[in-house]
Amino acid sequence: MPITAFDTQCIALHAEGASALVALHGAHVLSWIPADGRERLFLSKRTVFDGRAAIRGGIPVIFPQFGERGALRKHGFARNCGWRFMGVECGAAVFELRGDGDVHWPYPFVACLRIGLTATRLAVTLEIENTGDTAFAFTAALHTYLGVGDIAQVRVEGLQGCDYEDSANGGTLHRQSDYAVAFVDETDRIYSDVVAPLTLVDGAQRLGIEQQGFTDVVVWNPGARLASGIADLEAGDWQRFVCIEAAQAAQPVLLQAGEQWQGRQQLG
């Protein structure tokens, strides 16, 4: 996979006519353009690239805490840290973040993000290793922002029959009875025990989404009211993306000393 470095802050990946751009800040995938030339990810024009703030859009890496389900800052610290580019292994670009039980978190760990690219697919794999001598629990996600033409025309297929926690409605529990998820207002759902592939239907466009290792899928769009209070979104941006996240949110992973965990999301 050919690699291009941009001012040491971003790594560009190229394969089979497709491309991706990854920021070292957060090992954050900023862009994915398959060989057909159409950008598939949403990235806010208002996002601040200052090396400190989280990036709005693309694929943020959420670790070791999903949302506010713990004592850390929302969505943990991995998306705000500088990662190291380790090169290419087995056709995937590799990025690494190490923790030694410092101020961020009292547990030594190694987080590895592997990004594979073909003409039509993007595969992102998150690996967590407990390098300490004490077990720790964590939650995690790949908070993928997918660009769409008009959220009113978007459907997500493949979740029928799955139970979900409705975070936009006080965390109440429901079962998905409709064949497809549609978007008419704020949508923030954690679907549990998802095994079937998903399909994002965006007008006439369809995108396949698969995952392994992650047990949950988060579907999120802020809707007009919530989006109006998000400073790094432009007016109307909420109509141009939907987040479909491979997640381990409802049930934390307990990782014993020396153990490893892996979760993967594949788009395309």
Side-chain angles (χ1 to χ4, degrees), residues 75-99:
H75 285 329
F77 53 77
R79 62 179 182 160
N80 289 304
C81 290
W83 293 54
R84 294 178 59 201
F85 175 55
M86 308 301 290
V88 176
E89 297 179 2
C90 301
V94 181
F95 299 82
E96 183 181 270
L97 176 68
R98 289 180 173 266

Side-chain angles (χ1 to χ4, degrees), residues 5-16:
F6 286 86
D7 66 21
T8 72
Q9 299 303 309
C10 290
I11 303 294
L13 313 178
H14 306 275
E16 302 176 12

Side-chain angles (χ1 to χ4, degrees), residues 2 6 24 32 35 44 53 61 84 93 102-103 110 135 141 152 162 173 180 195 224 229:
F6 286 86
L24 294 182
W32 168 45
S44 172
V61 177
R84 294 178 59 201
D102 57 14
V103 65
V110 175
C162 293
L173 301 179
V195 294

Side-chain angles (χ1 to χ4, degrees), residues 154-160 176 178-183 191 198-201 209 217 219 242-244:
V154 167
R155 303 290 184 270
V156 179
E157 300 176 349
L159 292 167
Q160 187 176 22
Q176 179 70 31
D178 294 337
Y179 176 71
V181 180
F183 301 86
Y191 288 87
L198 308 180
T199 301
L200 172 65
V201 181
I209 304 170
V217 169
V219 178
V242 62
C243 289
I244 302 179

Side-chain angles (χ1 to χ4, degrees), residues 181-199:
V181 180
F183 301 86
V184 295
D185 202 347
E186 178 188 355
T187 301
D188 190 355
R189 300 176 179 180
I190 302 174
Y191 288 87
S192 300
D193 301 321
V194 177
V195 294
L198 308 180
T199 301

